[in-house]
Amino acid sequence: MILIGELLNSTRKRVRAALETRDAAFVQDLARRQTDAGVHYIDVNTGALLDHEVECMQWLVRTVREVTDRPLCIDSPNPEALAAALELAGPGTLINSISAEARRYEDVLPLVRKHQAPVIALGMDDEGLPEDADRGYAVLSQLITRLERDGVAPANIFADPLVRPAGANTAIPPAVLDVIGRIRAAFPQVHISGGISNVSHGLPARKLINRTFLTLAMSRGLDAAILDPLDTVLMSEIAAAELLLGRDSFAMNFISLYRAGRLEEKP
Amino acid sequence: MILIGELLNSTRKRVRAALETRDAAFVQDLARRQTDAGVHYIDVNTGALLDHEVECMQWLVRTVREVTDRPLCIDSPNPEALAAALELAGPGTLINSISAEARRYEDVLPLVRKHQAPVIALGMDDEGLPEDADRGYAVLSQLITRLERDGVAPANIFADPLVRPAGANTAIPPAVLDVIGRIRAAFPQVHISGGISNVSHGLPARKLINRTFLTLAMSRGLDAAILDPLDTVLMSEIAAAELLLGRDSFAMNFISLYRAGRLEEKP
């Protein structure tokens, strides 16, 4: 699994305050703890600071870079902020995100090409978020095909079926799981990613819902996720799922995590 | 999900002792607690008491019947014990199990027909346990087809791909998951079941492995399981999976379990 740490997100109140006051200690602590938890990318999001986002993103990238060499995942709706961050963040940076919306596709594709960067490809177009599996699959598969035609290597595409709250519409998560399975079958070389915590928004026992959804999605072919890497039960379940999906020879990773006291089994 | 409570199993040391001493209080307590936990069937296994199994099974069925009207799942390698228990247990009893082994098929099919009983169908034949997904699928699909041809309704077949320890061979659980997905696609009307706890035998953090495997298997189409219904974290994850697979309209079951204090969010 490719893990993308979600905690440095400006929609979180405490993070937003840290960005506004340029609280480097707070930001660097979250960057370090996510690194120690084993993430492959650290998401940096400044979208909530609309009026001075570019400057804020630049500060955030520099501040995180001081304490970790883990690649970043630059998360912004603003192409200028993406561009500025990509100049600073170094090679291997993941772009979050492109979509099939006409304007966004045109704005972000040049950045993907210039930096030869991996990119999260959101399965939505100008008609909005697909509600059923057929349209979800159609939009996302067409976006993948278009990116490949535009020169993006399959291994650089992180297809994202847009995980949305079960509480708002219980038909959406099963549709998203269907899309994951169909994309995995049709495009074996692309990554499939999703923002896991979205699924539990508005419901109780959110961590229970998040980890269960992640495991269901891994079973269908998801191999990357934006998540809270400090949720040790979630991380334990990922290790178990990797073992049970045949990706941990002789259970060596699972057993070494257990010996290091990093697996949480039961209440 | 159809839940089959596994705790009254003679391979468990404490249960075996209770069976040998005819400790009705112990047995009835386990039957009651599994009923309260919401199982649909209570498995009763006396296989470890080889020399007086029939008599022991009769006592066990009568003893459990005194405290719960939940259907039983009669679990024995001995056709005489199955036959004796089926006479006592009443309608709706689940037979555990038939297989594609020639002798077992011939011994158990008459019981299935006589009682019009649902039956667990183990995907093994006289060549033993299938190690890879292709043979696992071939053996189990042929067994289902044969049972249907012999007059067993698809809804009375609980196809079981034989869950085995990841610790012995990490290639087996992914093969079992593949078999589940292929059986679900080919036989939409049969139930697919498995003994979940087997997967973690010999490994640490067994409950973590059990619940993760169950969720992975539910994602592929498993809709019944033999499990420990007193494992509240496992039961919570089942409720979350049912919600996320679209089987809990408006999340009403999930929310009512939460309100009743029956969901465990984190260990």
Side-chain angles (χ1 to χ4, degrees), chain B residues 211-235:
Chain B
R211 70 172 179 260
T212 305
F213 183 74
L214 180 58
T215 302
L216 292 168
M218 287 177 72
S219 195
R220 302 287 179 96
L222 184 110
D223 69 337
I226 304 177
L227 47 66
D228 175 4
L230 307 186
D231 180 340
T232 51
V233 184
L234 175 71
M235 295 292 276

Side-chain angles (χ1 to χ4, degrees), chain B:
Chain B
M1 279 291 285
I2 299 172
L3 306 179
I4 305 162
E6 72 183 2
L7 296 175
L8 282 171
N9 191 307
S10 62
T11 61
R12 300 175 71 221
K13 203 177 283 186
R14 187 64 193 81
V15 172
R16 184 183 178 144
L19 292 170
E20 282 169 342
T21 61
R22 301 288 193 263
D23 182 348
F26 179 86
V27 162
Q28 291 179 337
D29 178 60
L30 268 188
R32 266 196 214 97
R33 286 161 66 201
Q34 292 186 92
T35 301
D36 294 345
V39 299
H40 302 89
Y41 293 94
I42 296 174
D43 192 83
V44 287
N45 171 296
T46 48
L49 294 100
L50 287 178
D51 42 342
H52 51 292
E53 199 198 339
V54 174
E55 184 198 343
C56 184
M57 178 64 93
Q58 289 172 314
W59 176 81
L60 180 57
V61 169
R62 284 198 190 95
T63 303
V64 172
R65 265 285 150 272
E66 284 173 15
V67 296
T68 176
D69 57 5
R70 214 55 58 96
L72 303 185
C73 171
I74 308 293
D75 179 3
S76 174
N78 177 350
E80 277 181 74
L82 290 177
L86 281 161
E87 296 298 333
L88 292 170
T93 303
L94 179 58
I95 297 175
N96 186 3
S97 54
I98 201 165
S99 77
E101 297 159 294
R103 178 72 189 276
R104 185 148 188 96
Y105 193 88
E106 284 161 31
D107 283 346
V108 177
L109 184 68
L111 297 173
V112 175
R113 288 177 132 165
K114 176 178 178 190
H115 295 274
Q116 296 283 306
V119 63
I120 293 176
L122 301 180
M124 63 183 293
D125 59 17
D126 290 308
E127 288 169 34
L129 298 175
E131 297 261 312
D132 62 88
D134 285 343
R135 213 177 90 73
Y137 176 73
V139 172
L140 191 50
S141 62
Q142 284 160 21
L143 177 58
I144 294 168
T145 302
R146 186 174 174 193
L147 284 165
E148 291 182 354
R149 218 171 43 217
D150 283 337
V152 183
N156 269 354
I157 299 171
F158 286 66
D160 185 326
L162 287 156
V163 177
R164 282 153 281 163
N169 181 351
T170 50
I172 297 276
V176 167
L177 292 169
D178 271 6
V179 172
I180 292 169
R182 289 159 73 174
I183 294 287
R184 175 50 67 227
F187 301 94
Q189 291 178 66
V190 306
H191 297 294
I192 304 176
S193 182
I196 299 308
S197 315
N198 296 335
V199 76
S200 60
H201 196 78
L203 283 171
R206 291 193 63 179
K207 290 185 176 188
L208 167 63
I209 294 174
N210 293 346
R211 70 172 179 260
T212 305
F213 183 74
L214 180 58
T215 302
L216 292 168
M218 287 177 72
S219 195
R220 302 287 179 96
L222 184 110
D223 69 337
I226 304 177
L227 47 66
D228 175 4
L230 307 186
D231 180 340
T232 51
V233 184
L234 175 71
M235 295 292 276
S236 299
E237 192 153 318
I238 292 170
E242 294 268 68
L243 165 64
L244 295 165
L245 291 167
R247 300 174 199 150
D248 182 7
S249 297
F250 305 104
M252 280 174 65
N253 180 57
F254 188 83
I255 290 169
S256 71
L257 287 171
Y258 177 77
R259 288 191 177 143
R262 291 179 69 166
L263 293 185
E264 294 218 35
E265 181 177 7
K266 55 177 182 170

Side-chain angles (χ1 to χ4, degrees), chain A residues 43-246:
Chain A
D43 192 83
V44 287
N45 171 295
T46 48
L49 294 100
L50 287 179
D51 42 343
H52 51 293
E53 199 198 339
V54 175
E55 183 198 343
C56 184
M57 179 63 93
Q58 290 171 314
W59 176 83
L60 180 58
V61 169
R62 285 198 189 96
T63 303
V64 172
R65 264 287 149 272
E66 284 173 16
V67 295
T68 176
D69 57 4
R70 215 52 61 94
L72 304 185
C73 171
I74 308 294
D75 180 3
S76 174
N78 177 350
E80 277 180 73
L82 290 178
L86 282 161
E87 296 298 334
L88 293 172
T93 304
L94 178 58
I95 297 176
N96 187 2
S97 53
I98 201 165
S99 76
E101 297 159 294
R103 178 71 190 278
R104 185 149 188 96
Y105 193 89
E106 284 161 31
D107 282 346
V108 177
L109 184 67
L111 297 173
V112 175
R113 289 178 130 165
K114 176 179 177 188
H115 295 274
Q116 295 284 307
V119 62
I120 293 176
L122 301 180
M124 63 183 292
D125 59 17
D126 290 307
E127 288 168 34
L129 298 176
E131 297 260 313
D132 63 89
D134 285 342
R135 213 176 90 74
Y137 176 72
V139 172
L140 192 50
S141 61
Q142 285 160 20
L143 176 58
I144 293 168
T145 303
R146 186 173 175 193
L147 284 165
E148 291 182 354
R149 218 171 42 219
D150 282 337
V152 182
N156 268 353
I157 299 171
F158 286 66
D160 184 325
L162 286 157
V163 178
R164 282 153 280 163
N169 180 351
T170 50
I172 297 275
V176 168
L177 292 168
D178 271 6
V179 172
I180 291 169
R182 289 159 73 174
I183 293 287
R184 174 51 67 227
F187 301 93
Q189 293 179 65
V190 305
H191 297 295
I192 305 176
S193 182
I196 300 307
S197 315
N198 296 336
V199 76
S200 61
H201 196 79
L203 284 169
R206 291 193 63 180
K207 289 184 176 189
L208 167 63
I209 296 173
N210 292 346
R211 70 172 178 260
T212 305
F213 183 75
L214 180 57
T215 302
L216 292 167
M218 286 177 72
S219 195
R220 302 288 179 95
L222 184 109
D223 69 338
I226 303 177
L227 47 67
D228 175 4
L230 307 186
D231 180 340
T232 51
V233 186
L234 175 71
M235 296 293 276
S236 299
E237 192 153 319
I238 292 171
E242 296 268 68
L243 164 63
L244 296 165
L245 291 167

